[in-house]
Amino acid sequence: MTIEEKCINTIRCLAMDAVEKANSGHPGTPMALAPAAYVLWMKHLCFNPVNPDWFNRDRFVLSNGHASMLQYAILHLVGYEISLNDIKNFRQWGSITPGHPEFGLTPGIETTTGPLGQGIMNAVGMAIAEAHLAARFNTGDHTIINHFTYVFCSDGDLMEGASHEAASLAGHLGLGKLIVLYDDNHITIEGNTSLTYSDDVPKRFEGYHWHVQNIGDKGNDLTAISDAYTTAKGVKDQPSIIVLRTHIGFGSPGKQDTSEAHGSPLGAKEIVLTKKFYGWPEDEKFLVPDDVRNHMHKAREKGIVSETKWEKQYETYKKVYPELAKQLDESLKQELPDGWDHEIPFYQPGDGPKATREISADVINAVADHLPWLMGGSADLEPSTKTLIKSSGYFGKGKYENRNMDWGIREHLMCAASSGMSVHGGIRPYAATFFVFTDYARPAIRLACIMKLPVIYVMTHDSIGLGEDGTTHQPVEHLASFRAMPDLCIIRPADANETVFAWHTAIQRTTGPTILVLSRQKLPIFDRNRFASAEGVMKGAYVLSPEQGQKPDIILIATGSEVQFICEAQQELQKENINARVVSMPSWELFRMQDQSYRNEVLPPGIKARLAVEAAGLQGWCEWVGDMGQVIGISTFGTSAPYKEIYQHYGITVENIVNIAKKMVTK
């Protein structure tokens, strides 16, 4: 047995043993892909286990995240801070080796994968980030940004529609630093892929303008796999896919090429037989021979040399191009410079009503030159979402330095690739579409929350206020559903100046994604000489207009476009000697973060009469209005009509607010 074969069999056996000990997991794919992983890490991937965050490292994405033990095993063997005990604790509480790879938990894991197709889309974002930063900072004599993004993917990844979005745009953009290895093992959970899947994958990717190599049934041919990677790296103007026929559960006498090897432990008897096939000690568990560890640790030594060499290049670069080096450092750190927000306008009532999406456009362009690492765009809706950086062109083949992304009609890819741009580093992405179309992007947004990535989502056409487009475009249930998503901050501003501070919050927030939920229709601008400062947005809720008396008879609460109605209702109620407090509550999440004392100031516990108004679902409002409060909202889908008529139909009017408030106070 050669040392290479021994290393590969170590990876296979660690995967089998870990899955068996956990009584849970997917052993078959790690057994099949161990040779491809060995070749990649030992001969092609540029990385440094001593410093997993070295910026110019190659990125690796295991899109078929169920094969996580493949990655954990090889990361352990090449010297990352993953111990043999971590391998033994696979899928256990508190371990750093969870069932699917998780960014921020395990050294060497670049992104959280699990739902199939997500990894490929993340990788497209990583490749976009590399191309953009290389275009901005490389010079004719100094190539300081130069790394590849590698992906392993499965049949399941390519069945998911997400992969079509990813492949289509990557090919169009000519992302030559993106290299995908497709594990063509013919097996999914229910059986052979022939049940559902007969795509001609090479032709499909040729149609997407990828460079395609189909090397056939050579899953154990190290030379063929290595040569394919070498060829792919030489292709500069196309992403590459290597189609590799493998055999799931390779070496298992009873389970090779069966679905039984996919998602369940092999069983103790089958493992003994498989180890015998490998020529491995049959009774040994979690065995890592010394010569294997010594051999694979050479990758660690190589990584240290690679980073040291790059650091020397970077030091020279700093001397020759000090301003570019300064800008690159700023992009990597993303610290807000002094005065970054000084050009953001303040709006007066005399400016006239404005849609909050319009104000968002003003803010983007007021800060764009001060935050050159801010980059993003929309899913072919920029004229509606108004997210164009006017001082830049569109990112595209040969124009990678530009900052505007047109993602095409690909909402899922847009949000997943934005996550990839974020985890790559050097870019702060924003992504925009109509709020209702988050239905197409929810899995990617959820993973961004799990990873706590500071992606900014600009979601316009926020409610029934978009009017005539009708039921299909009116996102009545979306606020409630996203409020249920952990680590996501939703901000729905009520006027121009609230929108300014919503953007302030989103840019300064680095602990998770933020959704700005913006209006299509024009909203009045509150006179801040009369009303409280819009800076209260940053606390999630604030008293916009206090009551006249010593304490309120009722508290009126609203978000977004409905705040104007409760302000008018306050005036009408005052005419009848009912003292109402008006609370603008653009963000439940930010409000929850405040001290209890502040929350009690805004919503005094002793005031039980509370009425909330929102052109959306009612779910969750009981947290703020209590058992004795009421909510005016929408419990059905919308309809196609002028928006003012829709508001009237659903009772979101000043008159209805006043009538309900009066009844609540007189009970």
Side-chain angles (χ1 to χ4, degrees):
M1 187 184 299
T2 67
I3 187 61
E4 291 183 324
E5 291 172 332
K6 203 170 183 179
C7 291
I8 290 165
N9 286 336
T10 301
I11 296 168
R12 288 166 165 159
C13 291
L14 285 176
M16 289 190 300
D17 289 342
V19 171
E20 190 68 23
K21 184 175 183 293
N23 195 29
S24 175
H26 300 72
T29 299
M31 295 161 69
L33 281 178
Y38 172 85
V39 167
L40 179 59
W41 258 269
M42 296 301 291
K43 297 186 178 182
H44 295 278
L45 199 69
C46 186
F47 64 97
N48 182 7
V50 178
N51 181 15
D53 297 326
W54 167 38
F55 185 69
N56 202 45
R57 69 192 182 278
D58 290 337
R59 272 63 169 177
F60 173 79
V61 176
L62 186 69
S63 194
N64 47 337
H66 54 270
S68 58
M69 263 312 307
L70 172 71
Q71 193 167 8
Y72 300 148
I74 201 160
L75 290 175
H76 166 70
L77 292 172
V78 297
Y80 283 85
E81 291 297 321
I82 300 175
S83 70
L84 197 58
N85 279 334
D86 293 324
I87 300 294
K88 293 176 181 178
N89 287 325
F90 177 55
R91 291 186 167 226
Q92 303 308 299
W93 179 269
S95 76
I96 63 167
T97 49
H100 293 78
E102 294 187 24
F103 171 76
L105 179 66
T106 314
I109 301 299
E110 302 286 3
T111 186
T112 297
T113 57
L116 293 173
Q118 291 291 330
I120 295 177
M121 294 191 293
N122 285 176
V124 170
M126 294 176 189
I128 287 171
E130 194 276 344
H132 175 70
L133 295 171
R136 283 184 57 199
F137 296 111
N138 288 347
T139 65
D141 55 346
H142 284 79
T143 303
I144 205 68
I145 305 294
N146 181 25
H147 50 265
F148 289 89
T149 300
Y150 293 94
V151 182
F152 280 4
C153 77
S154 64
D155 296 301
D157 287 290
L158 297 192
M159 289 185 199
E160 288 286 358
S163 69
H164 295 257
E165 294 186 25
S168 175
L169 186 64
H172 175 76
L173 295 174
L175 299 175
K177 295 288 188 67
L178 176 62
I179 300 174
V180 175
L181 184 138
Y182 163 42
D183 175 28
D184 181 21
N185 67 29
H186 295 194
I187 297 295
T188 56
I189 290 174
E190 291 196 33
N192 194 283
T193 54
S194 60
L195 285 167
T196 62
Y197 180 61
S198 54
D199 294 14
D200 188 328
V201 171
K203 285 185 178 179
R204 170 182 157 190
F205 276 80
E206 286 171 3
Y208 287 139
H209 310 296
W210 284 53
H211 178 263
V212 178
Q213 298 177 77
N214 187 354
I215 62 175
D217 195 352
K218 294 186 178 180
N220 292 300
D221 188 332
L222 306 188
T223 300
I225 296 169
S226 185
D227 288 348
Y229 274 123
T230 299
T231 299
K233 288 192 293 185
V235 178
K236 305 299 184 184
D237 59 349
Q238 291 178 289
S240 291
I241 185 168
I242 300 165
V243 181
L244 178 66
R245 172 73 169 105
T246 67
H247 297 273
I248 195 167
F250 176 79
S252 170
K255 296 187 177 181
Q256 178 176 315
D257 291 327
T258 71
S259 59
E260 293 175 337
H262 175 79
S264 301
L266 295 181
K269 291 181 180 179
E270 190 70 16
I271 288 177
V272 168
L273 294 174
T274 306
K275 288 180 177 178
K276 183 177 181 180
F277 173 83
Y278 294 153
W280 205 252
E282 297 165 21
D283 296 327
E284 291 279 3
K285 296 179 180 178
F286 298 100
L287 173 63
V288 180
D290 289 342
D291 54 347
V292 167
R293 192 176 297 281
N294 292 336
H295 175 75
M296 294 197 70
H297 263 221
K298 292 178 182 177
R300 181 186 178 99
E301 298 162 10
K302 181 180 175 183
I304 294 171
V305 170
S306 295
E307 182 176 0
T308 301
K309 180 180 178 181
W310 183 84
E311 288 288 355
K312 290 179 180 178
Q313 292 173 339
Y314 193 34
E315 288 303 315
T316 302
Y317 178 82
K318 287 179 180 179
K319 294 175 183 176
V320 179
Y321 299 102
E323 184 56 34
L324 279 178
K326 177 175 178 288
Q327 291 174 16
L328 176 56
D329 286 342
E330 289 171 348
S331 293
L332 297 179
K333 293 176 182 176
Q334 295 187 13
E335 296 174 350
L336 295 174
D338 292 339
W340 70 273
D341 56 350
H342 286 180
E343 294 183 37
I344 300 176
F346 178 81
Y347 298 88
Q348 302 284 357
D351 295 329
K354 293 183 181 294
T356 54
R357 61 174 176 160
E358 297 178 76
I359 307 305
S360 174
D362 293 349
V363 176
I364 288 171
N365 284 284
V367 304
D369 289 345
H370 302 285
L371 308 178
W373 34 263
L374 186 67
M375 178 180 180
S378 79
D380 195 57
L381 285 169
E382 193 286 321
S384 293
T385 60
K386 301 186 182 301
T387 43
L388 187 74
I389 296 174
K390 295 177 182 177
S391 59
S392 180
Y394 278 100
F395 181 94
K397 187 184 292 188
K399 300 177 181 179
Y400 294 145
E401 72 281 1
N402 289 332
R403 298 163 64 190
N404 290 302
M405 294 298 303
D406 184 348
W407 294 101
I409 301 94
R410 303 183 183 97
E411 293 87 359
H412 201 176
L413 171 66
M414 172 180 70
C415 291
S418 292
S419 292
M421 295 162 71
S422 180
V423 296
H424 177 277
I427 292 173
R428 183 73 179 279
Y430 63 87
T433 185
F434 292 179
F435 192 32
V436 75
F437 296 145
T438 53
D439 283 343
Y440 286 126
R442 181 177 299 271
I445 295 173
R446 182 175 184 271
L447 285 175
C449 292
I450 291 172
M451 291 188 272
K452 295 180 170 57
L453 301 178
V455 180
I456 300 171
Y457 304 109
V458 182
M459 299 301 172
T460 68
H461 297 57
D462 64 335
S463 73
I464 57 172
L466 67 90
E468 292 85 349
D469 276 345
T471 312
T472 61
H473 281 51
Q474 293 169 6
V476 294
E477 75 276 26
H478 292 63
L479 281 170
S481 65
F482 278 116
R483 284 169 177 158
M485 192 174 286
D487 297 311
L488 179 63
C489 179
I490 301 103
I491 310 177
R492 187 175 183 239
D495 79 336
N497 292 306
E498 281 203 4
T499 306
V500 166
F501 282 102
W503 260 105
H504 263 272
T505 302
I507 289 173
Q508 294 180 62
R509 185 171 184 267
T510 58
T511 56
T514 303
I515 293 186
L516 304 180
V517 183
L518 307 175
S519 74
R520 176 195 188 191
Q521 75 271 30
K522 296 181 182 296
L523 305 179
I525 298 172
F526 298 123
D527 184 351
R528 296 296 167 170
N529 293 315
R530 173 186 164 198
F531 294 99
S533 168
E535 192 170 359
V537 168
M538 302 181 80
K539 292 186 174 182
Y542 66 107
V543 180
L544 177 64
S545 180
E547 64 280 0
Q548 294 295 311
Q550 291 185 348
K551 68 175 185 177
D553 298 313
I554 188 170
I555 302 174
L556 305 178
I557 314 168
T559 76
S561 49
E562 290 71 69
V563 173
Q564 61 180 307
F565 300 137
I566 63 172
C567 287
E568 293 180 43
Q570 181 192 41
Q571 300 303 308
E572 294 301 314
L573 289 167
Q574 186 61 45
K575 293 176 183 177
E576 303 194 35
N577 295 317
I578 296 175
N579 289 319
R581 170 180 291 190
V582 168
V583 171
S584 176
M585 195 175 201
S587 176
W588 295 10
E589 296 77 24
L590 292 174
F591 190 55
R592 286 196 195 101
M593 293 170 60
Q594 307 309 311
D595 293 339
Q596 187 63 52
S597 59
Y598 176 77
R599 285 183 279 161
N600 290 344
E601 286 178 20
V602 176
L603 300 175
I607 308 301
K608 304 298 184 183
R610 302 179 183 183
L611 176 60
V613 184
E614 189 171 62
L618 312 179
Q619 296 89 342
W621 270 108
C622 61
E623 179 179 356
W624 311 115
V625 301
D627 293 340
M628 298 177 67
Q630 293 190 40
V631 184
I632 299 174
I634 302 173
S635 56
T636 65
F637 290 114
T639 190
S640 178
Y643 79 90
K644 291 183 179 179
E645 291 182 26
I646 302 176
Y647 271 89
Q648 184 76 31
H649 174 80
Y650 287 111
I652 304 176
T653 64
V654 174
E655 180 183 12
N656 193 41
I657 295 168
V658 169
N659 288 338
I660 293 176
K662 286 165 62 177
K663 291 176 182 177
M664 292 176 68
V665 169
T666 57
K667 280 183 179 179

